[in-house]
Amino acid sequence: MDNLSGVQANSLGSSSEITKSTSQNDAAKNALGLSMDDFLKILATSMSNPSMTGDGDSNSSGTDYISQMAQFATLQELNNMSTMMNNSLLLGQQQQAFNLMGKDVTVVDEQGNEKQGRVDKVNFTGGIAKLTVNGTEYEMGAIKEVREPKD
């Protein structure tokens, strides 16, 4: 199996592109339900038992397997990129929330009423920024206007 994965990794490029850190592999496994190690085990079993493919073709080309592994690696990378982008967006929102501290704002409550006040506090629930204005908590999307304080 180790030989097989080494050959496949060399066929695709550097082994660092294929073999990810344990945390990235675990994240991909959680999201996809299948890790690269699981995929390689299935691939090795499929190659050693061609009848398992169900198509009766025992002469499957090795490039089919390489192609499947490349697709799987691409899917893992897309999942990793998605996670990184989500984290980046949350970080950006947190920075925006911190910049609103002490500013006067107009917010729209759930009933559509506008309320004015100063941002007294910023807290985060699950990474999502919430602003406290006049003792009431609002999401960032509730802000209609931001002004410098007149004091």
Side-chain angles (χ1 to χ4, degrees):
M1 168 99 172
D2 291 330
N3 254 351
L4 178 64
S5 64
V7 169
Q8 291 171 343
N10 288 335
S11 299
L12 288 174
S14 73
S15 61
S16 65
E17 293 174 5
I18 306 298
T19 309
K20 298 296 172 194
S21 69
T22 303
S23 63
Q24 287 176 327
N25 201 15
D26 289 344
K29 185 174 184 175
N30 289 340
L32 304 172
L34 184 71
S35 71
M36 181 61 86
D37 291 338
D38 295 336
F39 178 77
L40 290 173
K41 288 175 187 175
I42 292 169
L43 190 62
T45 303
S46 175
M47 288 178 74
S48 64
N49 299 313
S51 62
M52 287 181 60
T53 61
D55 60 6
D57 181 14
S58 62
N59 296 325
S60 291
S61 169
T63 58
D64 292 342
Y65 298 115
I66 301 287
S67 174
Q68 289 173 1
M69 192 166 87
Q71 289 173 352
F72 186 80
T74 301
L75 184 60
Q76 271 188 316
E77 281 304 309
L78 286 172
N79 184 49
N80 291 341
M81 283 177 37
S82 174
T83 300
M84 288 176 17
M85 287 183 69
N86 284 339
N87 291 340
S88 179
L89 287 171
L90 286 174
L91 182 61
Q93 183 190 49
Q94 290 172 357
Q95 291 296 332
Q96 289 174 342
F98 284 134
N99 289 335
L100 291 173
M101 283 290 297
K103 303 266 176 132
D104 289 336
V105 295
T106 301
V107 292
V108 179
D109 66 13
E110 293 175 358
Q111 291 76 32
N113 301 321
E114 290 185 11
K115 309 227 173 171
Q116 294 184 355
R118 185 162 292 162
V119 177
D120 301 317
K121 179 171 83 170
V122 174
N123 68 10
F124 302 95
T125 306
I128 307 289
K130 302 223 177 174
L131 309 172
T132 302
V133 179
N134 297 333
T136 305
E137 194 172 85
Y138 297 94
E139 292 185 4
M140 294 271 295
I143 297 174
K144 181 177 178 182
E145 182 179 70
V146 178
R147 298 171 305 282
E148 288 293 330
K150 295 180 182 177
D151 306 285

